[in-house]
Amino acid sequence: MDDMPSRLPVVLPALRAAAREAGFTMSCEERTGSLLAALAAGCPGGRVLELGTGVGEGTAWLLSGMDSASHLVTVERDEVVRGVAREHLRADPRVTFVAGDAGAWLTDYDGEPFDLVFADTWPGKFTHLGSALRLVAPGGTYLIDDLAPLPDWPEDHRDAVKRLLADLEERDDFRSVRMTWASGLLMAVGSARP
C-alpha cells in the first residue's frame, strides 16, 4: 500500500519553494500533514493550536482539513519563516498568526482549550509540556512528530525524546499511541475530566 497522500493543499508547492529559498528544512512531512488534515476534519467547529508555524506547511495541512467554522492559532518566533506563512496563508480568516516564543505563549495563555494541539517545536513538546497538555480539551488530541531517531541527533536529544515518551505514556489523563511512521509520531487523546 502506498501511504503517501494524494490530496495536497493547493498552496503547498509555493510554500516549499519559499522554504527552499529561506533555507528552511524542518517543514511538516507529507504523511504527517495528511494526518493533521484528517484530525482537523474530525473537529467540526473546532479550535486548533499549532506550536511552531515554520513556513506554514503544517498550517496549510491543518487548514485543508478544517471546516469553515473552525479556527487555528499558530505560534512562531522566527520572523522570516513566519513571514512566509503569513504571506501565503493570511487571506484565510480561520487562522491567527502569533509572533513570539511558544514557551512564553503557553505560559501566558489563559483562554479556552483546544480540540487539537500540534506541537512541532521544543516548547509544548520537550519544554512546557504540562502547559501544552492543559490546553487540550477533554477528548481532544495532542500530536507530536520528529521522534524517529536520526544519525546526526546529539546524545542529549535522544535522552530528551526518551524522557518525553516515558512521561506521556505514564499519564493517566491521556491515552497515547506511538507511530513509527512518517518522522515518528505520538498521538495522545485527553480523557474526560470530571
Side-chain angles (χ1 to χ4, degrees), residues 47 109-114 135:
R47 295 176 38 78
Y109 180 78
D110 65 353
E112 293 294 315
F114 295 87
L135 295 184

Side-chain angles (χ1 to χ4, degrees), residues 42-82:
C43 302
R47 295 176 38 78
V48 180
L49 173 63
E50 178 185 37
L51 301 169
T53 312
V55 296
E57 288 191 40
T59 310
W61 281 104
L62 287 163
L63 289 168
S64 75
M66 290 167 42
D67 68 9
S68 62
S70 294
H71 189 77
L72 167 64
V73 174
T74 184
V75 183
E76 176 60 56
R77 70 176 182 182
D78 185 312
E79 184 179 329
V80 173
V81 295
R82 186 181 64 251

Side-chain angles (χ1 to χ4, degrees), residues 26-29 31-33 35-36 39 49-52 62 106 116-133 136 140-148 153 157 160-169 171 174-189:
M26 299 299 294
S27 288
C28 181
E29 198 266 346
R31 291 173 295 174
T32 301
L35 178 60
L36 288 172
L39 291 172
L49 173 63
E50 178 185 37
L51 301 169
L62 287 163
L106 284 166
L116 172 59
V117 174
F118 176 46
D120 195 20
T121 188
W122 277 69
K125 190 187 301 189
F126 299 111
T127 68
H128 302 84
L129 176 63
S131 297
L133 294 176
V136 178
T141 301
Y142 170 81
L143 182 72
I144 52 178
D145 65 349
D146 301 327
L147 300 174
W153 271 8
H157 188 73
V161 169
K162 281 182 181 178
R163 283 191 304 275
L164 171 66
L165 295 175
D167 184 22
L168 286 166
E169 290 182 351
R171 298 185 69 100
F174 282 85
R175 183 68 181 249
S176 65
V177 60
R178 294 183 193 190
M179 295 175 269
T180 56
W181 179 72
S183 64
L185 306 173
L186 182 135
M187 183 170 66
V189 175

Side-chain angles (χ1 to χ4, degrees), residues 3-20:
D3 65 352
M4 294 304 289
S6 58
R7 294 175 56 184
L8 306 177
V10 174
V11 70
L12 210 55
L15 290 172
R16 287 180 176 163
R20 282 190 299 276

